[in-house]
Structures are given as structure tokens and as C-alpha cells.
Amino acid sequence: EKGIGIGDRVVLRKAGEIIPEVVRVAAHAADSRPFQMPDHCPSCGSPVTREEGEAALRCNNPECPAQLVRHLIHFASRDAMDIDGCGPAVIQQLIDSGLISNAADLYSLHAADVAKLDRMGEKSAENLIRAIENSKANDLSRLLYGLGIRQVGAKAGKTLAAAFGSMDALMEAGLEDLTEVPDVGEITALSLLDWFAQPQSQHLIRRLR
């Protein structure tokens, strides 16, 4: 909106207490070109979206490599799939070693492979595999929350699981079906429809089955 290009000199001011605000362009660089916001994620190539009223562009691909660590930390967290022993350091090691590249890969891990990681050992590896196995008994609401779908928190996960009863029923639901559920507004419904429409999301669900 302010015609800012890469390499331009800009005037800043302190907005509020700390946050710097770009006021205007002071001087364009010699080779300055108008900056174009990306329409695809620079990491995985998936389309990006921006919700009305928000500045952030978001990639909603659940298998995006740039978001993988955070996705898996959330997936394994206590309010989601509650996989004990699957904290940030372990997840990073599992990714770096090539053992996992999405949430479904957790369920294909073998204790012998995990035991080879730094500071793991056989006992820790066995405990992790047991915790992953135990997480299969969690109800649908925890999985829905763990998938990290925008606008679907723990409460919404419980509401949707109670209303639809199965992943299949939820995936087949249309906008009207979703917005008829108490406390599920149009923004949440559209976020769900967008997430389930993506091939990567469908692939992840098939793997998790």
C-alpha cells in the first residue's frame, strides 16, 4: 500500500511503546521493484491464505516442512494426542534423522531406530513407542485439536466430535452442516472446509487411519 520495494530506504516511527511502524518511503533503490506478496508458500508451494482483518499470510499445508516442528509439538502436546516423552528436542531429532516427516510417521516408528538417537537408549525408546501406541486410544476431539486446523481449539474439537461422531462424517459436512453446530461460526466452518479440501490433509488423514 505504501509502495515499498526491496532495498528502499524508509522512514520509521515508534508506534506505541516499542513496535516500529513504516511511515513512508524515503528513497527508492535504483533497481527497486514493487514488492508482491507471495500467493504460494516459499517452502512447500501450497497456496497461502489471509483471513479478513489479519495481516498474516498463512500456509495451511499440514505437511509443510517449514512448519513441521511446531506442528508435531502441538500434535503430541498434552491437550492434543498427549504423547509423553515426545517433546521438542525428541521431535527435532526424529526429523533430523529422517525418521519422521509428518504426524502419521510417528505411528510407524520402531524402538530400535529411536534408541539410536542421542540420549535416548532402549528404555526411553520403548517408553516413547508405548506412549505413541497409547495415543491411538484418544477420542476424535483430541485428534481434531492436534491437527492444528485454524480456529479449531480444544473446545471446538470437542464440540465438533460430539456433533459428527466420526472423521468421515465431519469431512463430508458442508458449510450449512458445520454452522448449525453450536459455537461453530462461519469463519471456523470455512477454515475446516479449506483444510479438508487440501490433498496434503487428505493424505495425512489416510495415513493416520
Side-chain angles (χ1 to χ4, degrees), residues 50-129:
R50 182 166 65 183
E51 293 185 12
E52 190 173 346
E54 286 195 2
L57 287 175
R58 300 182 188 277
C59 169
N60 293 321
N61 175 9
E63 298 182 339
C64 177
Q67 303 180 70
L68 182 57
V69 173
R70 295 300 304 172
H71 272 311
L72 289 173
I73 290 170
H74 176 73
F75 184 85
S77 65
R78 182 167 303 191
D79 290 336
M81 297 304 282
D82 193 20
I83 303 175
D84 191 37
C86 198
V90 171
I91 285 171
Q92 189 67 63
Q93 283 197 81
L94 290 169
I95 293 170
D96 291 345
S97 63
L99 291 175
I100 60 173
S101 60
N102 61 40
D105 287 341
L106 289 168
Y107 298 95
S108 300
L109 288 172
H110 299 287
D113 295 325
V114 176
K116 296 174 184 176
L117 301 177
D118 288 345
R119 297 186 296 279
M120 282 300 287
E122 291 183 13
K123 185 66 175 177
S124 296
E126 288 170 3
N127 289 341
L128 176 60
I129 298 300

Side-chain angles (χ1 to χ4, degrees), residues 51 144 149-157 159-160 164 170 173-175 177-196:
E51 293 185 12
L144 289 174
I149 303 168
R150 288 272 299 153
Q151 308 294 335
V152 179
K155 182 181 177 182
T159 301
L160 290 163
F164 293 97
L170 179 58
L175 180 61
D177 302 318
L178 292 166
T179 52
E180 284 177 354
V181 177
D183 299 323
V184 176
E186 186 172 338
I187 292 174
T188 301
L190 290 171
S191 182
L192 281 159
L193 291 172
D194 179 61
W195 194 89
F196 282 122

